[in-house]
Amino acid sequence: MDTKLFTGPAGRLVEVERDPPNLSYVAFVPGSLPPGAEDAAIADVARELGEANLALGQLTGIGEFFPNPDLLVRPYLRREAVASSRIEGTVASFSDVVALEAGIRPAPGSDTQDVLNYVVALDAGLRAIQEGSFSLDLIRSLHRQLMTGARGEAFSNPGEFRAIQNHIGSSNEIADATYVPPPPLEMHSVLDQLIDYLNGSKPRTPFVVEAAWMHYQFEAIHPFLDGNGRVGRLLIALLLAERHQVAHPLLYLSPYFERHRDEYYRLLLAVSSTSVWAEWLRFFLLGVAEQAREAISVAREVLELRDEWRERLATVGAAPSALRLADFVTEHVAVTPRVVELGLGVARQTAYNSLQVLVDADILESVPLRQRGSLYIAPQLIAILEV
């Protein structure tokens, strides 16, 4: 790690002794939250903070138009999973993920299971945070669900904080690393400080600002051998949901981070090295506003498409089971007859009949499978939701 770049660090550099001494290295230990520069940083981004709060309020409002918030929350959560995993080089499409959820096995070598693990971890985390507070156990649980059965499982030690030093950069040599996070002996104290910050009873910083500080801090600590970026982005969603007191969150930042990947990584490092808190916060708040506006646009398109489907079905005098299936498809995007049978609690023949009604109404397409049967997909909905 080039210590000359750390001209005004947001923490402290520590030298870690090794044997022989010429292999010793320097690591970075972030300071506690909130940063001392918080007031100045917030004042510097007042306009961006106002825009982010306005967009969040509008997004909360549009959720009220949905008779069942899960109609949008479930597919939007999968959108986040695809984008967050893609930042780490995982290749899987939105269509791949919803097909796997419907029980269709991916092609050999596919990364789809990694993305589905993100969905499972985020879904479990959202439920957990409604019932309790932030904790190290919650963070370990997210990592376990994320990495078990995924690429890199053997190396990542799912659910366990690292006991050895890690580093970030293209070189295998720690001396050539771009960034070296806290050594294990220092790591646990800064993790405890992070949890204390998230659960503190003092007057709150604006929660979108808290999310920015928390995400930087977690990435700076880098407490796992692998999967830190995905866990850190999961925590943003959980914090925003918990602070905003929404059971059905629609705001996820991974698509924004993916579009601005180089800037995202540059600023995380720059906070550590030169304390550019305001610059990082501005970037983060612009992402909140951008993603909230995007979510509003997507929500409107989904709502309009759902209404259009219902009109088509009403025109042909479709049975109530077909109307129920239309909403079920809005939530799940891709289904099989078995998934419909179990999900709607209907007889097998009713499931087949309802699927055919939606096929005839150009809502679903039937895709023959390599194995027996068919997968039914909603191409218009996929076109809206694909990242």
Side-chain angles (χ1 to χ4, degrees), residues 51-364:
E51 291 178 356
N53 285 328
L54 176 62
L56 275 174
Q58 293 170 334
L59 178 59
T60 301
I62 200 168
E64 298 174 1
F65 287 96
F66 279 82
N68 175 4
D70 284 337
L71 293 180
L72 185 61
V73 170
R74 186 181 176 93
Y76 217 75
L77 189 153
R78 280 125 192 89
R79 219 169 166 264
E80 158 71 5
V82 170
S84 183
S85 299
R86 193 178 291 166
I87 295 173
E88 310 297 330
T90 298
V91 180
S93 70
F94 180 86
S95 302
D96 293 334
V97 175
V98 294
L100 179 57
E101 283 194 293
I104 307 308
R105 301 168 79 181
S110 169
D111 294 329
T112 310
Q113 185 62 53
D114 295 40
V115 183
L116 186 57
N117 282 5
Y118 190 98
V119 173
V120 171
L122 180 50
D123 197 34
L126 288 169
R127 290 196 305 272
I129 207 63
Q130 291 174 27
E131 301 169 359
S133 58
F134 287 91
S135 68
L136 296 180
D137 284 344
L138 172 61
I139 292 174
R140 281 193 290 261
S141 175
L142 293 174
H143 188 260
R144 184 180 303 109
Q145 291 167 315
L146 185 70
M147 301 306 298
T148 300
R151 183 182 51 171
E153 176 184 11
F155 170 75
S156 65
N157 198 11
E160 299 298 330
F161 294 128
R162 58 182 169 86
I164 61 174
Q165 184 68 64
N166 56 355
H167 62 276
I168 299 171
S170 56
S171 173
N172 290 328
E173 297 296 328
I174 196 168
D176 299 325
T178 303
Y179 177 75
V180 182
L185 289 177
E186 301 263 10
M187 179 188 73
H188 292 282
S189 64
V190 287
L191 275 172
D192 289 339
Q193 290 168 5
L194 176 59
I195 295 300
D196 289 344
Y197 171 73
L198 294 176
N199 294 328
S201 59
K202 58 186 179 303
R204 294 278 181 198
T205 301
F207 66 86
V208 287
V209 176
E210 280 186 304
W213 298 161
M214 177 274 298
H215 185 64
Y216 157 74
Q217 191 82 346
F218 183 83
E219 296 306 316
I221 298 170
H222 235 62
F224 298 109
L225 292 174
D226 193 18
N228 292 284
R230 280 167 286 173
V231 174
R233 290 185 288 276
L234 282 169
L235 289 172
I236 295 175
L238 299 190
L239 182 65
L240 292 177
E242 192 268 345
R243 296 291 196 258
H244 202 36
Q245 296 184 333
V246 290
H248 304 280
L250 294 174
L251 181 72
Y252 300 104
L253 293 186
S254 290
Y256 173 78
F257 291 153
E258 188 198 0
R259 287 192 294 270
H260 304 279
R261 186 184 316 196
D262 291 344
E263 186 74 349
Y264 171 53
Y265 287 133
R266 182 190 74 79
L267 285 171
L268 286 174
L269 179 60
V271 174
S272 296
S273 59
T274 56
S275 299
V276 292
W277 293 104
E279 191 176 349
W280 161 249
L281 181 57
R282 179 175 289 107
F283 173 80
F284 190 92
L285 293 174
L286 289 173
V288 170
E290 185 174 312
Q291 288 308 120
R293 288 191 290 264
E294 181 181 294
I296 290 168
S297 176
V298 170
R300 285 174 175 157
E301 288 187 65
V302 172
L303 191 60
E304 289 170 2
L305 181 61
R306 174 184 177 270
D307 291 344
E308 181 186 326
W309 285 356
R310 295 181 74 85
E311 288 176 12
R312 289 187 214 172
L313 295 172
T315 299
V316 299
S321 59
L323 291 169
R324 288 177 60 210
L325 177 57
D327 279 353
F328 190 76
V329 167
T330 304
E331 183 178 345
H332 293 267
V333 186
V335 296
T336 62
R338 180 63 174 164
V339 167
V340 172
E341 182 184 348
L342 295 175
L344 295 184
V346 297
R348 179 168 300 183
Q349 191 58 51
T350 302
Y352 277 106
N353 292 345
S354 299
L355 285 165
Q356 189 58 51
V357 170
L358 268 64
V359 170
D360 293 341
D362 292 326
I363 294 171
L364 291 177

